[in-house]
Amino acid sequence: MIDKNMNIDPHEFALALISNSKKEDGVDNQRFIKNQLTLYLEAYFIIEDFNQLEIKQLNNMKQQQISDLFDKMLSGRFTP
């Protein structure tokens, strides 16, 4: 059973990702900045999606546990 869901801070994750990328030779500043911004935004929204999926999965697991409990109660197999 999962006690706590995993939640990643999208801003911190995206900043960590772009802070580790280096400007390649021959790439002008404007192109580098655009690449960094694109990388930041993609990382941010991917983590946002991950966090939402994690919440949904946790809620589905809770719903399944409740459903299983009701099934046991209705079938007379519930033992405290």
Side-chain angles (χ1 to χ4, degrees):
M1 182 174 156
I2 297 174
D3 294 331
K4 189 169 123 178
N5 65 325
M6 181 183 295
N7 191 2
I8 300 171
D9 183 300
H11 175 68
E12 287 182 24
F13 181 87
L15 280 181
L17 188 64
I18 66 170
S19 69
N20 290 320
S21 63
K22 306 292 182 220
K23 183 178 169 191
E24 295 177 12
D25 293 336
V27 175
D28 64 17
N29 288 338
Q30 188 175 13
R31 172 54 36 209
F32 179 70
I33 291 167
K34 286 179 181 180
N35 289 344
Q36 293 290 87
L37 179 57
T38 300
L39 183 60
Y40 175 90
L41 291 172
E42 287 176 349
Y44 186 95
F45 288 114
I46 286 172
I47 295 303
E48 281 284 305
D49 289 346
F50 170 83
N51 287 338
Q52 290 303 314
L53 179 61
E54 184 72 14
I55 289 168
K56 286 178 186 176
Q57 286 182 335
L58 185 62
N59 288 338
N60 287 341
M61 287 177 55
K62 287 179 184 177
Q63 288 297 326
Q64 185 61 45
Q65 289 172 342
I66 291 170
S67 178
D68 290 347
L69 178 61
F70 283 137
D71 289 345
K72 286 180 183 178
M73 288 171 46
L74 292 173
S75 67
R77 293 181 287 148
F78 180 72
T79 54

